[in-house]
Amino acid sequence: MSLSRMLSSATLLAAVALVSVAVTGAADAENAVEIQLSYKDRKFDPAEIGAPANTPIAIKLRNLDAGAMEFESKTLHVEKVVAAGGDATINVRAQKPGRYEFFDEYNEKTARGALVVK
Ligand SMILES: [Cu+2]
């Protein structure tokens, strides 16, 4: 196979791989368990949320404060800025049982919480 042909099949393979990741992501989001979470006075309410193991999770976050916040979790590998008064969905992959801490990166001292997966 010529180099240019090899390159174009590699590009095609990469494109196919990207499409299948996107499709899997969408299917996961549809089967996700939804958890409501509020952010108020620079704190999460409730501070602890729960979800079943091995199930994709959609955290429906509502920021009731007058400033933006940034939901972040190192163990869940998510990070999302939510505007003042705004809503966001944080999609989390299926997780093994455990405690996964999260925080607001703009107010790390007060705004801490955990997702407990059982
Ligand atoms: Cu961040």
Side-chain angles (χ1 to χ4, degrees):
M1 207 183 276
S2 75
L3 182 60
S4 66
R5 253 194 94 83
M6 274 175 65
L7 281 176
S8 66
S9 2
T11 309
L12 184 62
L13 276 177
V16 169
L18 274 178
V19 167
S20 58
V21 164
V23 168
T24 309
D28 276 5
E30 270 172 37
N31 300 326
V33 109
E34 281 190 14
I35 304 169
Q36 309 291 331
L37 180 63
S38 294
Y39 182 84
K40 192 173 185 345
D41 300 328
R42 298 183 175 183
K43 280 180 191 144
F44 290 103
D45 180 29
E48 197 171 289
I49 52 179
N54 308 313
T55 309
I57 303 158
I59 300 172
K60 301 282 182 181
L61 177 58
R62 169 158 286 188
N63 179 4
L64 299 167
D65 272 0
M69 59 86 64
E70 185 179 325
F71 182 98
E72 178 155 346
S73 171
K74 301 208 157 75
T75 46
L76 295 171
H77 307 287
V78 291
E79 186 169 30
K80 189 155 202 155
V81 174
V82 187
D87 289 296
T89 300
I90 294 140
N91 292 307
V92 175
R93 283 165 194 266
Q95 299 291 327
K96 288 183 278 187
R99 186 183 170 83
Y100 302 87
E101 311 243 324
F102 55 81
F103 55 91
D104 163 18
E105 201 184 343
Y106 302 158
N107 295 285
E108 263 190 77
K109 288 204 177 106
T110 59
R112 309 197 65 91
L115 167 70
V116 178
V117 175
K118 288 182 195 165

